[in-house]
Amino acid sequence: MEETGDSLLPFRVLDEHGVEVEAVGEFLHHMLADDASAASLRSYAYELLAWFRFLRAVEVPWHVAGRAEARDFALWLKICKKPPRQRRADAPAAGSVNPVTGKATSGENYAARTRRHARAVIRSFYEYHREMHGRPLVNPFPKGRGDEDEHLNAHHNPMQPFRRLSRRAVYQPKEPKPAPRSIPDRAFNDLFAALSCNRDRALIAFYISTGARASELLGVRQGRVVPEEQLIGVVRKGSRALQQLPASTDAFVWLRLYQQEIRDLVPKGPDEALWWTLRRPFRPLTYDAARMVFNKANAVLGANWTLHDLRHSAAKRMVRDPDLTLADVQWVLGHAHITTTEVYTAPTPDEVIAHVLAHHERLRAGRAKPPAPPAPGYRPEVLAALFGAGTAGEGAR
């Protein structure tokens, strides 16, 4: 794959002779015209590159690929290992669980979400060519099974969860449902104390108080910061709309300290970047650089928290506040559907463990609340038959 630098086609997929694959280029043009972002084009191009490499290995042209090739590709993604990367000597083994956070590191094989995404990309690629050119006649990856597929959520009530397909589509991996991993308050305090400069403290303070995505906060411009109103403007990932998010007072204090340190060292202006590297030549801070800074703090603690965990933590903090409605949290997080925000209402494993341990302690100390007596008017023999002997209270008759 090649990055072109052309805004009309940022990425190209090339064959073994260095020639652009026209079918993929046409599909990416279609996505760009349909207002897809450059990041989406890059993601789709990589998935199609893997598909075309697979077809080249089995010597099947893309326009005659069928269900057998789809099956073999799904099996290949399931069993093959990801390309090896250079890792530090002290890096944890793939798939191991961090003792501090309880989070598993990335495994050697492709995750189910990655395989689901690859299937969705290839299916949309074939559907585009079927609609535009009438060929190929068969999509190797058919749609989900069920009579109601076409209009499953046509009249969806936004206050109700989306209905799922009755059965998974052919060769579609099962959808994992991991619980959002938030950072406990004590662990966050340790993480914040491990930061070494005011820029990093300001950045993390904004993450934990706004719930913005990593890329959204890193893309903030200087003119979108309004300290007197405690607002910071981010461009949303999906809609790419500008939204003002409220942030904590501490975040703006750390930001002011950071801005004093870089005064007269970086360009100023409403359209200039807010976050910069610390070393010369000064450049706008990228996601990879911010992730490396975060990993340094992780190394001090022996943890493997991620920048996205800060978004989960901010969401959990807001959901726990009784004065904030779920609609408020949805607006701050930028979720299109409130059902996505409802995920954060479920208790975390740490919270459940703490509640159950407290329950056992109350039982041990004899401070457990006795069950409420039944309402008057019920006959004791009926209650005993339903709930066992000793259930009927003195008020029953």
Side-chain angles (χ1 to χ4, degrees), residues 190 194 295-303:
D190 296 338
N295 287 342
K296 289 181 180 179
N298 272 327
V300 175
L301 305 175

Side-chain angles (χ1 to χ4, degrees), residues 314-352:
K316 289 293 292 185
R317 288 185 176 188
M318 288 186 281
V319 166
R320 287 198 298 259
D321 190 339
D323 295 328
L324 283 177
T325 67
L326 197 61
D328 295 335
V329 182
Q330 176 195 5
W331 183 88
V332 171
L333 296 178
H335 289 158
H337 307 288
I338 200 168
T339 52
T340 307
T341 315
E342 287 178 349
V343 175
Y344 296 100
T345 61
T348 63
D350 294 337
E351 292 172 337
V352 175

Side-chain angles (χ1 to χ4, degrees), residues 28-37 240:
L28 295 180
H29 267 300
H30 159 72
M31 289 186 59
L32 190 64
D34 202 27
D35 208 25
S37 65
R240 294 197 286 278

Side-chain angles (χ1 to χ4, degrees), residues 266-277:
V266 299
K268 290 184 179 180
D271 295 328
E272 296 292 344
L274 179 63
W275 312 103
W276 295 81
T277 58

Side-chain angles (χ1 to χ4, degrees), residues 16-348:
E16 65 272 18
H17 304 294
V19 180
E20 180 184 358
V21 180
E22 294 184 1
V24 176
E26 180 183 343
F27 175 65
L28 295 180
H29 267 300
H30 159 72
M31 289 186 59
L32 190 64
D34 202 27
D35 208 25
S37 65
S40 296
L41 293 177
R42 180 177 181 270
S43 174
Y44 274 55
Y46 268 117
E47 301 292 6
L48 291 172
L49 175 63
W51 171 247
F52 272 78
R53 282 178 173 176
F54 172 81
L55 294 179
R56 181 67 181 87
V58 298
E59 299 181 349
V60 175
W62 74 269
H63 57 278
V64 299
R67 192 69 58 86
E69 286 72 33
R71 176 201 61 201
D72 295 342
F73 180 73
L75 289 173
W76 175 72
L77 279 182
K78 186 176 182 178
I79 64 176
C80 76
K81 298 184 182 299
K82 293 182 290 188
R85 296 183 302 172
Q86 290 186 349
R87 302 173 66 90
R88 305 188 314 272
D90 58 343
S96 60
V97 178
N98 186 277
V100 177
T101 65
K103 295 175 54 179
T105 59
S106 179
E108 294 181 342
N109 298 89
Y110 289 105
R113 289 186 181 275
T114 302
R115 293 184 283 125
R116 287 176 64 91
H117 181 255
R119 184 194 185 281
V121 169
I122 299 170
R123 169 170 167 73
S124 62
F125 166 76
Y126 277 93
E127 283 300 303
Y128 164 77
H129 283 281
R130 289 182 63 199
E131 293 178 1
M132 291 295 294
H133 307 293
R135 58 180 178 82
L137 297 178
V138 177
N139 192 324
F141 293 93
K143 65 180 180 180
R145 292 169 287 189
D147 297 333
E148 73 282 7
D149 293 352
E150 293 293 338
H151 307 286
L152 183 62
N153 291 294
H155 302 284
H156 174 252
N157 182 351
M159 299 304 295
Q160 299 294 329
F162 278 88
R163 295 170 57 198
R164 301 287 184 179
L165 294 175
S166 57
R167 299 181 65 186
R168 288 183 294 112
V170 178
Y171 309 135
Q172 184 178 41
K174 295 181 180 179
E175 183 177 7
K177 297 180 179 179
R181 174 66 68 171
S182 60
I183 306 176
D185 292 342
R186 182 178 299 179
F188 175 78
N189 293 336
D190 296 338
L191 181 66
F192 195 84
L195 300 174
S196 58
C197 66
N198 290 329
R199 181 204 63 184
D200 301 339
R201 297 184 185 103
L203 193 60
I204 300 306
F206 274 108
Y207 277 130
I208 198 65
S209 61
T210 64
R213 299 176 180 87
S215 58
E216 293 173 348
L217 195 58
L218 290 172
V220 172
R221 301 301 172 183
Q222 297 177 15
R224 297 173 185 165
V225 180
V226 190
E228 62 273 15
E229 298 182 14
Q230 289 185 226
L231 296 175
I232 185 169
V234 302
V235 176
R236 284 304 186 184
K237 176 183 177 182
S239 63
R240 294 197 286 278
L242 177 63
Q243 181 175 347
Q244 296 286 341
L245 295 180
S248 66
T249 305
D250 291 344
F252 285 98
V253 171
W254 289 115
L255 177 61
R256 182 59 178 168
L257 294 174
Y258 163 60
Q259 289 177 325
Q260 283 296 109
E261 292 176 350
I262 62 171
R263 185 177 181 181
D264 301 328
L265 296 178
V266 299
K268 290 184 179 180
D271 295 328
E272 296 292 344
L274 179 63
W275 312 103
W276 295 81
T277 58
L278 300 179
R279 298 179 181 178
R280 298 177 184 271
F282 297 108
R283 300 181 301 274
L285 190 67
T286 62
Y287 174 81
D288 289 333
R291 181 174 55 84
M292 293 302 296
V293 168
F294 199 69
N295 287 342
K296 289 181 180 179
N298 272 327
V300 175
L301 305 175
N304 64 342
W305 302 114
T306 64
L307 289 174
H308 199 69
D309 290 336
L310 294 171
R311 175 173 167 84
H312 293 320
S313 304
K316 289 293 292 185
R317 288 185 176 188
M318 288 186 281
V319 166
R320 287 198 298 259
D321 190 339
D323 295 328
L324 283 177
T325 67
L326 197 61
D328 295 335
V329 182
Q330 176 195 5
W331 183 88
V332 171
L333 296 178
H335 289 158
H337 307 288
I338 200 168
T339 52
T340 307
T341 315
E342 287 178 349
V343 175
Y344 296 100
T345 61
T348 63

